[in-house]
Amino acid sequence: MADNARAKRLADLIREVVAQKLQRGIKDPRLGSHVTITDTRVTGDLREATVFYTVYGDDEERAAAAAGLESAKGVLRSAVGAAAGVKFTPTLTFVADALPDTARTIEELLDKARASDEKVREVSAGATYAGEADPYRKPDEDEDEDDSAE
């Protein structure tokens, strides 16, 4: 089993090689400039690599990019093997990165929270306290009450 530093270096190399090959070497129109390689992870035995990518566009373009990456997998693996110089070139698996969807969901939740906070501010704008503004007793008030009790 390889050490983690070697797996990390190989993952970084795979990410760079795949990104450069997609940008310059692959002529598939489905893999235009709207595909971005975001991360790469390699297993400890250096046999399998997972390449995470994002696609700028709608669901149809995402599906087309996924099909394009699957068809270019052999060419990309060959490029990685030539650049890496390792005994066994890792098999590549392409996974759509969920980060943009997660970020969009978080933004929507934050927008809902801001709207809710604004509603609370509007409702509480003219509100007054149910009792006194300061509900706590002060030491000088306690002495006055003790004197009047005698």
Side-chain angles (χ1 to χ4, degrees):
M1 182 173 271
D3 60 7
N4 287 335
R6 184 172 179 199
K8 177 71 175 140
R9 283 193 312 266
L10 183 60
D12 291 341
L13 177 71
I14 291 171
R15 186 181 71 240
E16 290 174 15
V17 168
V18 169
Q20 288 176 357
K21 193 71 172 171
L22 285 176
Q23 187 177 21
R24 297 189 189 111
I26 305 285
K27 302 296 183 208
D28 193 343
R30 299 174 291 186
L31 302 174
S33 61
H34 56 276
V35 176
T36 304
I37 304 300
T38 56
D39 192 19
T40 307
R41 296 186 187 147
V42 178
T43 58
D45 61 357
L46 306 179
R47 295 284 181 162
E48 298 175 12
T50 305
V51 180
F52 295 92
Y53 67 94
T54 59
V55 179
Y56 182 73
D58 58 0
D59 291 335
E60 187 177 304
E61 290 175 342
R62 289 184 190 126
L69 286 170
E70 281 299 315
S71 69
K73 189 184 286 190
V75 174
L76 295 172
R77 186 172 181 220
S78 297
V80 167
V86 291
K87 184 187 231 182
F88 179 82
T89 303
T91 58
L92 301 178
T93 305
F94 292 97
V95 177
D97 200 349
L99 185 66
D101 295 332
T102 304
R104 191 176 312 113
T105 303
I106 290 172
E107 283 298 322
E108 290 171 358
L109 291 173
L110 288 173
D111 288 341
K112 287 180 184 177
R114 286 185 198 105
S116 174
D117 288 348
E118 187 59 34
K119 285 181 184 176
V120 169
R121 260 189 237 105
E122 289 173 3
V123 168
S124 66
T128 58
Y129 293 103
E132 297 178 19
D134 187 10
Y136 299 105
R137 290 188 176 181
K138 307 218 175 8
D140 58 342
E141 291 175 0
D142 290 339
E143 291 174 5
D144 292 341
E145 290 177 10
D146 289 341
D147 292 340
S148 62
E150 293 176 4

